[in-house]
Amino acid sequence: MVTDSDLLIRCRRRDSDAWNQLVSRYERLVYTVALRNGLSAEDAADVTQATFVALIDALDRLRDDEKLASWLMTVARRQAWRSRNLSRRTTSLDNTPEESSDPFADWATTTALHDALSTLGGTCRDLLLALYFEPETPSYAEIAERFGRSIGGIGPLRGRCLDKLRVIMGEEA
Amino acid sequence: MSTARPSFTELVDWLDGRLATEAAEDVASYVAVGDPATLESVEWILEFVSGAASMPLQQRPPELGLRLRGVFDQLHRPRQGRDWSDAALLHDTRSQVGVAGVRSLGDGGVHLAFDSELGRFVLDATASGVGEVDVQGLVMLPSGVGGLDLAFLERGDLRRAVRSTPDGRFDARGVPVGVDELWLTSGPTRVRALLDLRS
């Protein structure tokens, strides 16, 4: 399995393929964080791009390559706040939305979960994302087809993956 | 009632309603007894499912994926091709020569104004550390353009990269004072400006 650290090392050597893999791994997560912070689709896309540009900027200064997921989520959240504040300055008072409550009641847990999923990596990470993080939960048949496995094999694999994730989160706690 | 402790996978399937009736009753009976290890597993699974459900991952727009993949090369690739244009320096506070109405910095910092294909832009560079400056600026973008990407380079190597806000403001902290070039990219339009940030 190619880890985030491996990809970051390659990105520091200007490897575009490694960059594309990182983008594939995290673009939905960053975009979702931006959306969940109250932005329109257009603004969320802009914040997502700003977050990945910030990653390029910070490649040589990242403190912990293993925590890339939470780093991206935190930067996206800050960028989203900035974008919202900017929007408020240019929106008439009549159209200013009410202050919304924090969409992440337990931000630390959410970021720790995604860092643990990154550490888990590989098929297990992809499977758990497909089973638990899709807005419309796909059926086992769809999942089995997507992962090239039998329907009967998905349940046991899911159990093993979750158990591994639990161990990782226990170690990182 | 079954006396065998259910496996972790069985607990997952049980909580997901995927066990046959009899097997589900066995697991329920075991959980009801209150075995601490089993209860801990059940609690963890429920927390995980709840945490995952609290933030389902949305699909990003297709064109965003292309932009995100292209930005890496865009900020690193050496200047080439015919789709670049050069920005014209309008004002430099150090030269005291420039267009009327452009303010000067009184703190020894650098204030520069340029004209370019992307619109006029200004930037202020103020010392922030040994050999570093903070650069704040504004590109007067036409409405609806959205943000643009900026790359600060020193002898061809990327030193800082930032994306402007949709209204054209940008803020780059800790830029090496030796930076000698700035790239501004908005879609297919790319502009290059020669920089000298030394006070």
Side-chain angles (χ1 to χ4, degrees), chain A residues 121-153:
Chain A
T123 302
C124 269
R125 174 182 181 269
D126 294 342
L127 179 71
L128 295 182
L129 287 177
L131 284 169
Y132 293 102
F133 291 81
E134 295 285 348
E136 293 175 7
T137 309
S139 69
Y140 265 33
E142 290 171 310
I143 294 289
E145 186 177 354
R146 198 188 301 178
F147 286 85
R149 292 174 182 262
S150 66
I151 295 177

Side-chain angles (χ1 to χ4, degrees), chain A residues 14 16 19-20 24 27-28 32 36 46 49 57 61 86 89 104 133 135 140 158-159 163 166, chain B residues 9 13 16 18 41 54-58 60 67-69 72-73 76 149 160-161 163 167 169:
Chain A
R14 309 283 189 263
S16 298
W19 174 257
N20 290 343
S24 297
E27 58 188 341
R28 289 183 67 185
T32 299
R36 289 295 301 271
D46 210 60
Q49 184 159 345
D57 182 65
R61 305 192 306 275
L86 185 67
R89 282 203 299 271
F104 303 103
F133 291 81
Y140 265 33
R158 173 179 75 160
D163 207 9
R166 181 173 64 145
Chain B
T9 295
D13 285 338
D16 203 25
R18 290 184 181 275
S41 295
S54 71
M55 199 179 75
L57 297 180
Q58 306 297 324
R60 66 355 177 217
R67 280 163 48 189
L68 297 177
R69 283 160 182 76
F72 190 76
D73 284 338
H76 283 111
D149 300 311
R160 279 289 176 277
R163 183 163 177 81
D167 68 353
R169 273 176 284 184

Side-chain angles (χ1 to χ4, degrees), chain B residues 55-135:
Chain B
M55 199 179 75
L57 297 180
Q58 306 297 324
Q59 283 292 354
R60 66 355 177 217
E63 71 278 7
L64 175 61
L66 293 175
R67 280 163 48 189
L68 297 177
R69 283 160 182 76
V71 74
F72 190 76
D73 284 338
Q74 170 193 301
L75 293 172
H76 283 111
R77 190 173 48 212
R79 188 169 65 96
Q80 59 187 7
R82 278 182 264 175
D83 50 352
W84 285 85
S85 62
D86 290 322
L89 181 65
L90 295 176
H91 183 80
D92 181 337
T93 45
R94 292 162 298 188
S95 70
Q96 299 301 318
V97 176
V99 295
V102 178
R103 69 187 176 85
S104 298
L105 290 180
D107 61 358
V110 178
H111 177 82
L112 301 170
F114 294 88
D115 194 17
S116 79
E117 190 181 346
L118 284 167
R120 289 194 171 187
F121 62 94
V122 294
L123 59 85
D124 292 334
T126 51
S128 59
V130 178
E132 291 184 348
V133 291
D134 288 340
V135 179

